[in-house]
Amino acid sequence: MPQDAISLEPGQGGLPSVVVRSQLATARIYLHGAHVAEYRPAGQEPVLWTSRASHFAPGKPIRGGVPLIFPWFGPRAGRPESPAHGFARTRPWTLESTGVSPDGLATVTLSLRDDDATRALWPHAFALRYTVAVGPTLALSLTTTNLGPTPFTFEQALHTYFAIPSIHDATITGLAGVNYIDKVDGLRRKRQGGEPIRITGETDRVYLHTTDTCTLHTPTRTVILEKTGSNTTVVWNPWIAKAKAMPDFGDDEWPEMICIESANAADDAVALPPGASHTMTVAIRPR
Ligand code: BG6
């Protein structure tokens, strides 16, 4: 497999992106936010969904693909003026390396360090290293290192938007019996029943203390999400009114997507001592 299976090309909005075109799969990863925006295994439909109304601009998050959330999840506790879901998804990342194995597995590694802009929002020295492996599986690995002299606590998510034929016949398994925070019901704590999850209205649930594999089932395929170093799984679909209220989300697009996010959030925030590292991995296996 030649190295030119990977190239650096301008993507939407002229933002620099790493494009993978191998016999195994195609993918596009923006340096903006280290954002995996496209992934399509050979012979399959695209796995990730991106809104036709998404911004592709410096300083603005991309709506779709895999936003990389760090160092807080959602609105920042006690600091509503801070950007939702942290700053990592809107910072320019550094492309560290690319490679292609003899059997065609393409690997892209990006990094982000603290700088004046991040320290103005969050006063910690850190390094993020993110490796994206593109093949029949999309394998994501995010390592966070505390480079400072004091401990810090962070939240994170690989906020995966999946393309689905219709929300009305998609189900999710793997969360039976798990306790969750229901963000559309006053943050009430609830317990998931044993039946597959069906989305029948606005859904925004933070499932806690779960490392289990989740499976997304649709009439055309299943997608398995296996994770390590992640204790939270978030399930989100905005449904009708919230979709209308979001300027970067088409009014009629909500039936085409579902987010199943591998995360460490709320009760599962990670405390990292000086010099320590934490790694979260997610393997996305479309079948
Ligand atoms: C989910 C959150 O992870 O992301 C939701 O649980 C939120 O509450 C959604 O609405 C989208 O967030 P944003 O900041 O990308 O609009």
Side-chain angles (χ1 to χ4, degrees), residues 53 105 232 256:
L105 187 70
T232 309
E256 305 168 4

Side-chain angles (χ1 to χ4, degrees), residues 61-64 67 69 73-75 83-85 89 157 159 161 183-184 202-206 234-238 242 246 248-249 259 261:
I62 295 170
R63 175 70 66 196
I69 307 306
F73 180 82
H85 282 325
R89 64 175 174 169
H159 189 310
Y161 286 76
K183 292 176 76 174
V184 298
E202 184 184 352
T203 301
D204 193 354
R205 300 180 186 169
V206 179
V234 180
V235 175
W236 180 62
N237 179 284
K242 182 148 186 182
M246 289 187 287
D248 61 343
F249 197 115
C259 288
E261 310 164 33

Side-chain angles (χ1 to χ4, degrees), residues 91-195:
R91 300 295 302 162
W93 286 54
T94 301
L95 179 60
E96 293 286 344
S97 62
T98 61
V100 185
S101 72
D103 55 0
L105 187 70
T107 305
V108 178
T109 299
L110 303 108
S111 66
L112 183 72
R113 292 280 296 265
D114 59 292
D115 60 16
D116 289 347
T118 69
R119 285 188 297 271
L121 288 163
W122 195 65
H124 300 289
F126 67 88
L128 297 180
R129 190 176 170 83
Y130 187 40
T131 298
V132 178
V134 179
T137 293
L138 179 68
L140 310 173
S141 176
L142 176 62
T143 296
T144 306
T145 302
N146 182 350
L147 299 177
T150 54
F152 64 63
T153 298
F154 66 96
E155 297 176 294
Q156 60 181 174
L158 294 171
H159 189 310
T160 325
Y161 286 76
F162 291 103
I164 53 176
S166 168
I167 194 73
H168 304 297
D169 51 21
T171 58
I172 300 166
T173 54
L175 293 165
V178 177
N179 292 322
Y180 64 94
I181 299 171
D182 190 344
K183 292 176 76 174
V184 298
D185 188 13
L187 303 179
R188 282 200 175 77
R189 300 224 168 197
K190 302 181 178 175
R191 187 178 175 84
Q192 184 64 48
E195 67 289 353

Side-chain angles (χ1 to χ4, degrees), residues 8 22 60 64 70 72 85 96 103-104 107 125 183 219 241 282 284:
L8 194 57
S22 77
K60 297 197 169 170
F70 173 89
W72 55 85
H85 282 325
E96 293 286 344
D103 55 0
T107 305
K183 292 176 76 174
V282 187
I284 295 166

